[in-house]
Amino acid sequence: MDSLHLPQDDQDERHAEKGKEIKVSPAQSTMTLIEEKPEHTDPWDLPELRDTGVPWSALDTRGKVLRVFVSLGKLVLLLGLLYMFICSLDILSSAFQLVGGKAAGDIFQDNSVLSNPLAGLVIGVLVTLLVQSSSTSSSIVVSMVSSGLLTVQVAVPIIMGTNIGTSVTNTLVAMTQAGDRSTFRRAFAGATVHDFFNWLSVMVLLPLEVATGYLYVVTKLIIDSFKIQSGEAPDLLNVITDVLTKSIIELDESVINGIATGDPEARNRSLIKRWCQTFTNTTLMNVTVPGPENCTSPSLCWVDGNYTFTLKNVSETYNIKKCKHLFVDVNLPDLAVGLILLALSLLVLCSCLILIVKLLNSMLKGQVAAVIKKILNTDFPFPFGWVTGYIAILVGAGMTFIVQSSSVFTSAITPLVGIGVISIERAYPLSLGSNIGTTTTAILAAMASPGETLANALQIALVHFLFNISGIILWYPIPFTRIPIRLAKNLGNITASYRWFAAVYIICCFFLLPLFIFSLSLAGWQVLVGVGVPLIVMFIIIIVINVLQKWKPGCLPVVLRSWDFLPLWAYSLAPWDKVVGVITAKCCCCCKCCQVTVDNEAHTENESVENNKKSHTEVYDNPAMSAEKEVENEIKIELKILKMTQL
């Protein structure tokens, strides 16, 4: 009897061990990790920048002096890199104008298309992308309004589009931080929060403007109420940066304006400025005219045989002093010079940004990091905590006014968001302030217009200002309405898992979508409404279903409570991630990189095994890879169980 009971006891023990091993499998899931370590559940927590160096108290006199000199050297190098970074952005803008400036002027010249508000919005986006400067595209619009080619009402949607187009620069800057997953998550979210604010503001204010003329009416009342004297826009940071940028390239901005306003001579002129100092002499001369009707006045007209003469003011321009930039004597077309500058400026831009991030990582450690993070991210004590965000808006506006470019300011704070010095909640009001700062510069520039065109130019600048103020009122004062932050965080989570999706986002939102809408606009209102309305309705329905699935699934039919009834590729990026991986692997094979790829994959697998043992990094890994690892673990456990049961 004892011998009969022994196998049963062994079998019970095996069953117990089997139960223990089966319970081990869920420990590898991300949900269990989240429950065991709640402190690691939020990837948006700012990382602690620890000081790994020798403490100050442990240094001798020589070490302290050396550290002071090294810190000062790093600070000087950081300021130099920031200077080169700002100059490279300026050169990048000039390069885009050389490559696509004349095309931008041609786009603005088609008044029949501009009369469509949606087409005007898209044209504002595309032109700003071409010239990489909202101030340049805004000045083109102001020139056209001043010359009577555009009315203020038609120009309002174009100004909205320039606001969107200028936000692509900091999104591109965030792409340079794709090396580290957590850094890229924060940097891309910090950059795209600006994009979402602009897109959401346009989605609300453009239909409102078309229906009521809100921006036009309010700015018209302001212009009529105040008699503003003409002034001049100040040169602040440009005084410092122009020393370098004008020694590399100098452009004639009047050429693009001339093409946009229909000047036939402007099309044959080069955008590259050759003569920096000219003299125009106007003299009263005898000139021949076709007939007496072409004379300046009957008293100044006489006929001599077959010729009719009159007195007329003739202006002649004399070139006095040549410019001193690098390309003044280069016999290359504008496109070639633009491509050369584009490649060089992008190289300098990326290099400076990478070095700036590394310098900031080395400088912002220990006590310095704690002080800076506390100053930037801490709210005022109760009950004045709500004031902090508005102070950040004012700081962003002031800094943008100093650098005279919202792209420069938002691109400068993007790496700070990435390394964890500035939270996305604080970067959001700073970006809103930069939108206001760039409009104040435009207002001062408009005030420098001649008296006869001052009213229209100033009204367009005020439209830009009021548009951003209205957007802030919509998406900031009430915490619930700060939707751009939530959207940017969701996009940051997606791009952290699937980094290729960041490039897809930029291409679709800033190129394909505007071109698609522009093409529909060219086809006419009927095609635009027939295609656009069903797509918008479908988009709204999908958003509503997603919200209900998350918060009120009981309100939906059983089928719509999840998207499982659709193919996996229709609602998940995991299949697309595999496609991208296969394409990348094939490209690497074509470039003879197969062996390197295999070594990297083996190294990655070894690291993933070690991380599984430590159980702290798999929370934010690719969901598709995590699922495959869980399946492998379950298969191993089942094989062990089968072996034990066979015994």
Side-chain angles (χ1 to χ4, degrees), residues 92-93 96-97 100-101 104 126-133 136-137 256:
L92 182 68
S93 174
F96 273 109
Q97 290 181 56
L126 293 175
V127 170
T128 308
L129 289 174
L130 284 174
V131 300
Q132 274 298 292
S133 172
T136 300
S137 52
I256 302 177

Side-chain angles (χ1 to χ4, degrees), residues 403-527:
V403 300
Q404 291 193 328
S405 173
S406 59
S407 299
V408 170
F409 177 71
T410 53
S411 299
I413 67 172
T414 296
L416 294 176
V417 177
I419 64 176
V421 176
I422 301 177
S423 66
I424 188 173
E425 287 79 11
R426 186 66 72 241
Y428 180 52
L430 288 172
S431 299
L432 302 187
S434 72
N435 275 359
I436 297 176
T438 193
T439 60
T440 56
T441 306
I443 290 172
L444 290 173
M447 290 176 66
S449 303
E452 63 273 10
T453 61
L454 176 62
N456 288 337
L458 194 55
Q459 187 175 356
I460 286 295
L462 286 176
V463 163
H464 199 184
F465 178 77
L466 184 61
F467 169 76
N468 285 297
I469 291 293
S470 302
I472 291 173
I473 293 173
L474 283 172
W475 309 116
Y476 187 75
I478 305 174
F480 176 77
T481 61
R482 295 171 188 173
I483 301 175
I485 295 179
R486 295 196 290 274
L487 293 176
K489 284 186 173 183
N490 289 333
L491 184 60
N493 288 329
I494 293 173
T495 53
S497 298
Y498 310 99
R499 300 181 207 188
W500 53 266
F501 188 75
V504 174
Y505 164 80
I506 293 174
I507 294 171
C508 290
C509 284
F510 292 102
F511 294 96
L512 295 183
L513 180 61
L515 286 173
F516 176 69
I517 297 174
F518 184 64
S519 303
L520 293 179
S521 302
L522 292 178
W525 269 104
Q526 295 81 1
V527 177

Side-chain angles (χ1 to χ4, degrees), residues 56 86 132 161 177 200 388 479 557 600:
W56 177 265
I86 294 170
Q132 274 298 292
Q177 296 183 270
L200 290 172
T388 312
N600 290 337

Side-chain angles (χ1 to χ4, degrees), residues 497-500 573-582 622 624-625:
S497 298
Y498 310 99
R499 300 181 207 188
W500 53 266
L573 291 175
W576 298 103
D577 188 46
K578 293 180 180 179
V579 172
V580 172
V582 170
N622 192 324
M625 296 176 63

